[in-house]
């Protein structure tokens, strides 16, 4: 599996460094160069990787480290911390506010886990005391309406969708307006995905984003938050995919799905770099409660594990 290789390569490089007889400038440089190569191959931005290298070299000043210091563990710790930092774009994630009704739009490729994740997100917030609702503006995927409706019914969440209306923009506007009238404070709109990053998908998504915000009641021009859902198993395609979404809609946060499988989640580094947005949750199974708040440290441990 391609994705396992990023973490594996970094771990292998750290191991090699730890097994070296002496830790000198050359050992450190070789180690950092190899990690840099691995990250660049995964399309993590050059700027980020360069910054990581410079910071580690600053932290690990071999000349100043007195004998007795465990240089190996200092280097390892510095690499770990910098990888955690790469998962933090330095931008706080939008948090829905119960006092102001928030509209959240989900985007992602078909099969990424968007519909499942919409329900998980809603269920999570329902438990926190929100009054959420789900709108199915995914008119492309056969069965999307039934899938979301079934999930909504199971979690006792109000749902809006249509078997007969095929215009996702109209469904989104009608659904948002209806739930605004019903005083729902968190309205989630699931949008269409496609197998490939097709221009038509992005145009449709952009139109839904515009129309969703331009609800008859709200009269604003954007959803409050666009969540990009990415499958953790996609590997090296992560950067290009995330960037394509970011270029079409204002992605604000990322959710990585299927972290219960074999994938180590290396694509997350690329997704953060491409969208400049934080990861907020990870999906860890098919069920509604298999959803965790994202935490960079255990994530990097797993990546390197
Ligand atoms: P969509 O086409 O993006 O809306 O994707 P779906 O929500 O229909 O999910 C596609 C498949 O992935 C379904 O079989 C889901 O049950 C499964 N899925 C979604 N999230 C997860 C996850 O976190 N872990 C696992 N194992 N499966 C997931």
């Amino acid at each position: 599996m391609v994705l396992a290789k990023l973490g594996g390569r970094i771990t292998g490089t750290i191991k090699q460094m730890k097994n070296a007889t002496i830790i000198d400038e050359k050992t450190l440089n070789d180690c950092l160069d190899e990690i840099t190569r691995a990250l660049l191959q995964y399309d993590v931005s050059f700027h980020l990787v360069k910054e990581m290298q410079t910071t580690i070299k600053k932290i690990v000043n071999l000349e100043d480290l007195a004998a007795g210091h465990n240089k190996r563990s200092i280097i390892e710790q510095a690499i770990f911390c910098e990888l955690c930092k790469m998962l933090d774009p330095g931008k706080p994630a939008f948090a829905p506010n119960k006092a102001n009704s928030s509209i959240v739009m989900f985007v992602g490729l078909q099969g990424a886990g968007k519909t499942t994740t919409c329900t998980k997100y809603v269920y999570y917030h329902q438990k926190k005391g929100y009054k959420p609702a789900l709108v199915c503006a995914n008119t492309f995927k056969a069965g999307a309406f039934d899938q979301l409706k079934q999930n909504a019914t199971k979690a006792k969440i109000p749902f809006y969708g249509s078997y007969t209306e095929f215009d996702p923009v109209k469904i989104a506007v009608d659904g948002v307006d209806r739930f605004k009238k019903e005083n729902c404070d968190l309205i989630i709109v699931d949008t269409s995905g496609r197998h490939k990053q097709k221009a038509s998908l992005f145009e449709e998504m952009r139109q839904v984003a515009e129309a969703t915000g331009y609800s008859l009641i709200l009269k604003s021009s954007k959803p409050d938050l666009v969540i990009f859902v990415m499958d953790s198993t996609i590997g090296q395609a992560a950067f290009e995919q995330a960037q394509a979404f970011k270029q079409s809609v204002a992605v604000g946060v990322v959710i990585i799905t299927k972290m219960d499988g074999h994938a180590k989640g290396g694509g997350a580094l690329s997704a953060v770099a491409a969208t400049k947005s934080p990861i907020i949750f990870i999906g860890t199974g098919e069920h509604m409660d298999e959803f965790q708040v994202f935490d960079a440290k255990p994530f990097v441990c797993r990546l390197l594990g």
Side-chain angles (χ1 to χ4, degrees):
M1 185 179 272
V2 183
L3 190 58
K5 285 184 183 161
L6 176 62
R9 259 177 85 174
I10 298 177
T11 314
T13 308
I14 294 174
K15 223 181 245 170
Q16 220 171 346
M17 177 275 296
K18 286 171 89 176
N19 288 337
T21 336
I22 34 163
I23 300 289
D24 56 12
E25 248 2 275
K26 184 176 178 321
T27 330
L28 177 61
N29 285 339
D30 286 352
C31 171
L32 294 182
D33 284 350
E34 179 51 24
I35 291 173
T36 298
R37 265 195 293 274
L39 289 169
L40 289 177
Q41 268 180 16
Y42 265 71
D43 287 329
V44 178
S45 96
F46 177 77
H47 170 74
L48 278 180
V49 177
K50 187 90 199 115
E51 197 175 279
M52 167 182 169
Q53 229 195 44
T54 314
T55 312
I56 294 176
K57 281 189 180 169
K58 246 187 237 162
I59 297 169
V60 187
N61 191 337
L62 292 173
E63 271 178 30
D64 289 354
L65 284 179
H69 268 109
N70 188 339
K71 293 175 187 169
R72 290 168 178 81
S73 119
I74 290 170
I75 295 172
E76 186 178 26
Q77 194 54 34
I79 294 168
F80 181 85
C81 287
E82 287 310 299
L83 286 173
C84 289
K85 260 170 62 186
M86 286 170 94
L87 285 166
D88 173 10
K91 179 175 110 179
F94 167 87
N97 179 343
K98 282 183 200 144
N100 304 315
S101 180
S102 304
I103 300 169
V104 177
M105 178 173 152
F106 275 68
V107 300
L109 282 194
Q110 184 162 316
K114 207 163 25 66
T115 306
T116 309
T117 308
C118 279
T119 323
K120 289 177 175 181
Y121 184 84
V122 163
Y123 183 63
Y124 174 89
H125 285 91
Q126 190 188 42
K127 283 194 294 181
K128 297 244 172 241
Y130 286 86
K131 190 187 169 198
L134 277 164
V135 178
C136 176
N138 184 348
T139 50
F140 182 79
K141 186 170 81 169
F145 176 93
D146 290 325
Q147 187 187 354
L148 201 61
K149 188 170 182 189
Q150 236 171 44
N151 290 348
T153 309
K154 213 165 158 189
K156 298 189 175 62
I157 295 158
F159 170 81
Y160 182 86
S162 174
Y163 274 125
T164 50
E165 176 59 66
F166 295 104
D167 178 4
V169 176
K170 178 154 181 16
I171 297 176
V173 171
D174 290 352
V176 168
D177 275 336
R178 173 168 158 182
F179 291 129
K180 290 289 290 179
K181 281 186 197 138
E182 292 178 10
N183 294 322
C184 291
D185 51 22
L186 185 58
I187 304 169
I188 310 302
V189 182
D190 185 17
T191 63
S192 298
R194 297 282 195 276
H195 284 297
K196 289 211 162 70
Q197 290 155 209
K198 283 196 179 149
S200 55
L201 159 68
F202 290 118
E203 179 49 26
E204 176 183 309
M205 217 170 58
R206 206 188 48 69
Q207 286 177 15
V208 173
E210 268 177 24
T212 305
Y214 198 78
S215 125
L216 296 176
I217 295 168
L218 206 65
K219 299 263 191 281
S220 68
S221 59
K222 279 187 207 135
D224 298 287
L225 178 65
V226 176
I227 298 183
F228 171 55
V229 177
M230 198 185 82
D231 184 331
S232 61
T233 63
I234 66 159
Q236 281 163 317
F239 188 87
E240 205 190 323
Q241 191 188 113
Q243 194 179 42
F245 277 91
K246 178 75 178 184
Q247 280 163 356
S248 293
V249 279
V251 170
V253 299
V254 178
I255 295 179
I256 309 285
T257 61
K258 308 184 192 178
M259 285 300 292
D260 48 311
H262 296 298
K264 299 237 177 189
L269 289 165
S270 306
V272 171
T275 61
K276 298 183 178 54
S277 304
I279 301 168
I280 51 168
F281 289 104
I282 56 168
T284 55
E286 300 195 4
H287 299 290
M288 229 177 282
D289 55 354
E290 287 173 322
F291 198 51
Q292 293 172 11
V293 172
F294 176 76
D295 186 355
K297 280 185 184 164
F299 195 91
V300 172
C301 277
R302 176 190 164 124
L303 181 71
L304 300 180

